[in-house]
PDB file of all heavy atoms in Angstrom:
ATOM      1  N   ASP A 450      17.742  -4.915 -11.444  1.00 47.00           N
ATOM      2  CA  ASP A 450      18.795  -4.960 -10.431  1.00 47.00           C
ATOM      3  C   ASP A 450      19.694  -6.155 -10.706  1.00 47.00           C
ATOM      4  O   ASP A 450      19.221  -7.275 -10.832  1.00 47.00           O
ATOM      5  CB  ASP A 450      18.163  -5.071  -9.034  1.00 47.00           C
ATOM      6  CG  ASP A 450      19.213  -5.098  -7.932  1.00 47.00           C
ATOM      7  OD1 ASP A 450      20.247  -4.440  -8.125  1.00 47.00           O
ATOM      8  OD2 ASP A 450      18.973  -5.760  -6.909  1.00 47.00           O
ATOM      9  N   ASP A 451      20.976  -5.887 -10.797  1.00 50.00           N
ATOM     10  CA  ASP A 451      21.952  -6.971 -10.989  1.00 50.00           C
ATOM     11  C   ASP A 451      22.608  -7.257  -9.652  1.00 50.00           C
ATOM     12  O   ASP A 451      23.465  -6.514  -9.188  1.00 50.00           O
ATOM     13  CB  ASP A 451      23.017  -6.526 -12.012  1.00 50.00           C
ATOM     14  CG  ASP A 451      24.042  -7.628 -12.278  1.00 50.00           C
ATOM     15  OD1 ASP A 451      23.879  -8.724 -11.712  1.00 50.00           O
ATOM     16  OD2 ASP A 451      25.002  -7.368 -13.020  1.00 50.00           O
ATOM     17  N   ALA A 452      22.183  -8.352  -9.008  1.00 48.00           N
ATOM     18  CA  ALA A 452      22.664  -8.674  -7.674  1.00 48.00           C
ATOM     19  C   ALA A 452      24.172  -8.897  -7.649  1.00 48.00           C
ATOM     20  O   ALA A 452      24.846  -8.617  -6.667  1.00 48.00           O
ATOM     21  CB  ALA A 452      21.939  -9.917  -7.143  1.00 48.00           C
ATOM     22  N   GLU A 453      24.753  -9.393  -8.757  1.00 51.00           N
ATOM     23  CA  GLU A 453      26.173  -9.678  -8.785  1.00 51.00           C
ATOM     24  C   GLU A 453      27.029  -8.418  -8.820  1.00 51.00           C
ATOM     25  O   GLU A 453      28.212  -8.442  -8.503  1.00 51.00           O
ATOM     26  CB  GLU A 453      26.502 -10.559  -9.988  1.00 51.00           C
ATOM     27  CG  GLU A 453      25.862 -11.941  -9.931  1.00 51.00           C
ATOM     28  CD  GLU A 453      26.260 -12.792 -11.117  1.00 51.00           C
ATOM     29  OE1 GLU A 453      26.984 -12.260 -11.997  1.00 51.00           O
ATOM     30  OE2 GLU A 453      25.857 -13.954 -11.173  1.00 51.00           O
ATOM     31  N   SER A 454      26.405  -7.294  -9.209  1.00 43.00           N
ATOM     32  CA  SER A 454      27.165  -6.038  -9.294  1.00 43.00           C
ATOM     33  C   SER A 454      27.086  -5.209  -8.023  1.00 43.00           C
ATOM     34  O   SER A 454      27.695  -4.150  -7.951  1.00 43.00           O
ATOM     35  CB  SER A 454      26.652  -5.201 -10.477  1.00 43.00           C
ATOM     36  OG  SER A 454      26.804  -5.905 -11.693  1.00 43.00           O
ATOM     37  N   ARG A 455      26.325  -5.684  -7.030  1.00 42.00           N
ATOM     38  CA  ARG A 455      26.191  -4.909  -5.799  1.00 42.00           C
ATOM     39  C   ARG A 455      27.466  -4.981  -4.966  1.00 42.00           C
ATOM     40  O   ARG A 455      28.164  -5.982  -4.966  1.00 42.00           O
ATOM     41  CB  ARG A 455      25.036  -5.455  -4.933  1.00 42.00           C
ATOM     42  CG  ARG A 455      23.676  -5.346  -5.578  1.00 42.00           C
ATOM     43  CD  ARG A 455      22.667  -5.885  -4.590  1.00 42.00           C
ATOM     44  NE  ARG A 455      21.388  -6.185  -5.219  1.00 42.00           N
ATOM     45  CZ  ARG A 455      20.502  -7.030  -4.717  1.00 42.00           C
ATOM     46  NH1 ARG A 455      20.770  -7.674  -3.609  1.00 42.00           N
ATOM     47  NH2 ARG A 455      19.355  -7.240  -5.326  1.00 42.00           N
ATOM     48  N   LEU A 456      27.708  -3.901  -4.221  1.00 41.00           N
ATOM     49  CA  LEU A 456      28.804  -3.904  -3.267  1.00 41.00           C
ATOM     50  C   LEU A 456      28.398  -4.620  -1.977  1.00 41.00           C
ATOM     51  O   LEU A 456      29.211  -5.182  -1.273  1.00 41.00           O
ATOM     52  CB  LEU A 456      29.250  -2.471  -2.955  1.00 41.00           C
ATOM     53  CG  LEU A 456      29.884  -1.700  -4.124  1.00 41.00           C
ATOM     54  CD1 LEU A 456      30.203  -0.269  -3.708  1.00 41.00           C
ATOM     55  CD2 LEU A 456      31.139  -2.406  -4.623  1.00 41.00           C
TER      56      LEU A 456
END
Side-chain angles (χ1 to χ4, degrees):
D450 181 33
D451 181 3
E453 296 182 357
S454 300
R455 297 182 196 158
L456 294 177

